[in-house]
Amino acid sequence: MNLIRRNDKINFFYSFIQSPKRIGSVIPSSTYLTKEMFRTIDFSKVKTIVELGAGTGVFTKHIAEHLSTESEGIVFEQNAFMKQNLMEKFP
């Protein structure tokens, strides 16, 4: 596990401790979960996809890698720290 991913987990957990009613889990989603959740989606037919509560960006990364150039992804994150982190990862 690289340092950035470890920091994502620590920061995610810290955010959960600060606002447990706003953060849906104590740990971020895994890449395995991401692949399973998007397994049946035909991204060639997707025109717009909206992600609510992007957290550390695991789903965001998968979406960005599979979305066509004619499609758009819209990401929402209310936690200021995670939002800033997402904006740096996905300008």
Side-chain angles (χ1 to χ4, degrees):
M1 175 188 321
N2 66 33
L3 183 59
I4 293 171
R5 185 71 183 134
R6 182 176 302 131
N7 284 340
D8 279 352
K9 288 182 179 182
I10 291 167
N11 291 327
F12 192 94
F13 182 70
Y14 180 71
S15 294
F16 173 81
I17 296 299
Q18 287 183 313
S19 288
K21 291 184 179 182
R22 289 186 177 258
I23 307 294
S25 175
V26 295
I27 58 171
S29 300
S30 68
T31 54
Y32 174 78
L33 174 66
T34 303
K35 288 176 186 174
E36 284 300 304
M37 295 228 5
F38 289 104
R39 178 171 46 90
T40 60
I41 295 177
D42 182 356
F43 279 94
S44 68
K45 296 181 180 178
V46 172
K47 294 188 187 320
T48 303
I49 191 164
V50 178
E51 182 181 6
L52 302 175
T56 60
V58 175
F59 287 3
T60 312
K61 181 177 186 288
H62 187 85
I63 292 167
E65 290 172 349
H66 292 86
L67 211 56
S68 74
T69 56
E70 296 84 37
S71 302
E72 72 173 330
I74 302 169
V75 177
F76 292 93
E77 177 53 61
Q78 63 184 356
N79 178 281
F81 178 80
M82 287 192 235
K83 182 178 179 178
Q84 181 61 39
N85 194 28
L86 286 165
M87 289 171 64
E88 291 171 9
K89 287 182 184 178
F90 307 98

